[in-house]
Amino acid sequence: MNDQDLLDVAATWSFWDQPPPASIERTVELPNSLSKRTALVIQGVRRCGKSTLLTQLIGRYRLKRRDCLFVNFEDPRLAGSLHFDTLERLTYLFSTLRPEANPLTIFFDEIQWVEGWERWLRTKLERPGRMQFVVSGSNAHLLSGELATVLTGRHITVELFPFDFAEFQRVHADGTVADHLDCGGFPEPLASDDGDQLLRQYFLDILQRDVRERVRARSSLALRQIVQMVFESAGSELSLRRIAAASGIAVETVAGYLDACEQAYLLFSCPWFAYSERKRAQRNRKYYPVDNGLRRIAVTRTGNDLGKALECAAFVELKKRHRDVFYWRSTGEVDFVVQTDNVPTPIQVTVDGATERTMHALDAFYETFPHAAEAVIVTTANFPNVITSLDDRAHP
């Protein structure tokens, strides 16, 4: 591409002559300011609203639109130019257009497709000029793998998820928790008459573009069957050997597929709680989807699954706030365990309130961990406020 072609692409995505379109403000914790020495990295599942969040940063950080460069590297016009040389040319051309502006803010969306971007960005951050950088991507492996080494100390990562309940209500003011658990939180489907059709396409796109291409699977059929099996069994302990036997592929392949799905934010694993890493590794994990709407359109079961949906949503809310989320099982099962103020906090999820079975499992947990914090009971009546209240325990 010549220089004018690159500037034409930049003009398509940037907001130099008109403001970004109206959007639902995202409730995500961000650094107080941008830095020329530290890149802000936005990660999350495909179509959860990362590109929209980038545009919202103009207002959040009170930036001048004319001094912001936006480029989405999934633009088909850039298909033959996905190399770090393109990044260099884009930023140089933009800087010549704005010779007096300081700072210049560079937004690179879906940057994981650009070969060598990590080392190029490291160079820019080590020798800062007028530019500050915000980058986004869907595939956590492609981002964090090199970030952990090449960009050590030079980036701040923010994870973005589909809409939570408060954001959901900004779209559907009268929506209930049950509505949210059924619809999920992907932004565009919530505002569309063909929401389920969009969700089905998202599911296939994530499998094909963010998972299958990474693991280089010959066919997407086995991969889709494994993910559907995991979604159907969400919240239950799953053996890799059982999945392998059901899908007819090797255990190591199943493990690789699930790891790739987790890196793409399609699903998350939940290990057994123990202070010993060796003991954790000996137990099976539970798995949860990133979004209930995505799970609903992918599974084959029918009927009311409110309790399971509430458990899935509770896990995602905990995942946003805590580095590690566990489960525990002995004579009974504690749905989740998180560390708050350096002590374990057991969390039980039940639609209508604590049952005898719920309390029996908690009694067994306290026998094993007598110094654990007071238990939290999550119901449809107090979700998600009771999970938010755990922030006060974690940051007294």
Side-chain angles (χ1 to χ4, degrees):
M1 300 182 73
N2 60 40
D3 290 351
Q4 188 57 53
D5 289 338
L6 284 177
L7 288 175
D8 288 344
V9 172
T12 299
W13 294 101
S14 301
F15 303 94
W16 298 331
D17 301 317
Q18 58 184 0
S23 59
I24 302 297
E25 189 73 18
R26 299 307 306 267
T27 51
V28 59
E29 187 173 346
L30 293 163
N32 293 329
S33 62
L34 299 177
S35 169
K36 296 175 183 177
R37 291 185 173 273
T38 306
L40 176 60
V41 179
I42 309 295
Q43 293 180 196
V45 68
R46 180 180 294 273
R47 308 304 296 174
C48 72
K50 297 184 298 301
S51 301
T52 299
L53 177 62
L54 294 190
T55 66
Q56 293 177 1
L57 297 185
I58 297 176
R60 290 218 190 181
Y61 292 120
R62 299 182 179 180
L63 304 172
K64 296 179 180 178
R65 294 200 315 272
R66 296 285 292 173
D67 297 340
C68 297
L69 171 70
F70 283 79
V71 178
N72 186 317
F73 288 97
E74 290 193 329
D75 189 312
R77 292 172 292 178
L78 294 171
S81 304
L82 298 175
H83 190 266
F84 71 86
D85 286 345
T86 301
L87 305 180
E88 185 67 26
R89 289 171 60 200
L90 278 166
T91 51
Y92 171 77
L93 292 170
F94 186 57
S95 67
T96 59
L97 287 178
R98 308 286 188 269
E100 305 298 329
N102 189 7
L104 295 174
T105 306
I106 312 300
F107 295 88
F108 284 153
D109 196 10
E110 302 296 350
I111 198 174
Q112 76 272 7
W113 300 116
V114 180
E115 181 184 353
W117 73 268
E118 300 96 339
R119 296 182 186 277
W120 177 87
L121 183 55
R122 172 78 187 201
T123 300
K124 294 297 182 183
L125 297 173
E126 287 185 338
R127 298 183 178 182
R130 293 188 290 150
M131 298 179 187
Q132 52 194 14
F133 293 89
V134 181
V135 301
S136 80
S138 299
N139 193 308
H141 176 76
L142 291 173
L143 285 166
S144 62
E146 283 292 306
L147 283 172
T149 54
V150 178
L151 290 182
T152 300
R154 295 292 187 192
H155 71 285
I156 296 174
T157 299
V158 171
E159 292 183 317
L160 188 67
F161 292 81
F163 282 172
D164 62 19
F165 181 52
E167 293 165 328
F168 171 83
Q169 286 194 309
R170 293 172 196 159
V171 181
H172 299 288
D174 297 327
T176 65
V177 168
D179 294 332
H180 175 50
L181 297 179
D182 181 66
C183 297
F186 278 95
E188 288 189 33
L190 289 179
S192 171
D193 293 334
D194 297 318
D196 280 4
Q197 185 61 37
L198 284 174
L199 287 172
R200 292 186 185 95
Q201 190 60 53
Y202 290 178
F203 182 71
L204 295 176
D205 285 347
I206 295 166
L207 286 178
Q208 180 66 31
R209 303 182 66 180
D210 296 327
V211 181
R212 183 187 172 192
E213 289 182 6
R214 179 193 161 196
V215 298
R216 298 178 181 176
R218 294 181 180 178
S219 169
S220 60
L221 178 59
L223 177 61
R224 186 170 70 248
Q225 289 175 336
I226 288 172
V227 173
Q228 289 174 321
M229 189 183 310
V230 170
F231 276 14
E232 290 226 11
S233 302
S236 301
E237 293 181 61
L238 274 180
S239 162
L240 296 184
R241 294 187 180 277
R242 174 188 165 195
I243 298 174
S247 57
I249 61 178
V251 173
E252 294 78 9
T253 303
V254 171
Y257 284 2
L258 290 179
D259 178 68
C261 289
E262 192 158 5
Q263 297 295 343
Y265 288 88
L266 178 59
L267 53 81
F268 304 99
S269 64
C270 180
W272 185 70
F273 179 72
Y275 289 114
S276 166
E277 189 67 36
R278 180 182 61 83
K279 290 182 179 179
R280 291 180 195 171
Q282 292 174 346
R283 298 292 293 263
N284 294 324
R285 293 179 173 235
K286 300 199 297 185
Y287 292 88
Y288 292 93
V290 68
D291 180 78
N292 269 314
L294 205 63
R295 175 179 181 265
R296 177 176 54 79
I297 60 89
V299 301
T300 56
R301 291 180 181 175
T302 58
N304 190 351
D305 202 13
L306 184 62
K308 186 62 66 180
L310 180 63
E311 184 178 343
C312 293
F315 174 85
V316 172
E317 288 301 315
L318 290 168
K319 183 73 175 175
K320 293 178 185 178
R321 294 168 170 80
H322 300 271
R323 186 181 68 178
D324 298 307
V325 183
F326 306 94
Y327 78 96
W328 184 82
R329 180 192 291 273
S330 181
T331 55
E333 180 175 341
V334 174
D335 293 320
F336 304 117
V337 180
V338 296
Q339 290 282 102
T340 56
D341 198 19
N342 296 319
V343 295
T345 298
I347 300 164
Q348 294 286 53
V349 181
T350 174
V351 171
D352 298 318
T355 63
E356 182 177 347
R357 181 179 180 182
T358 299
M359 302 310 296
H360 174 74
L362 288 174
D363 290 341
F365 183 82
Y366 283 116
E367 289 179 8
T368 307
F369 304 101
H371 301 297
E374 181 182 356
V376 172
I377 308 297
V378 179
T379 69
T380 51
N382 65 20
F383 175 83
N385 295 332
V386 69
I387 295 177
T388 305
S389 70
L390 287 172
D391 296 347
D392 296 331
R393 298 193 192 182
H395 308 288

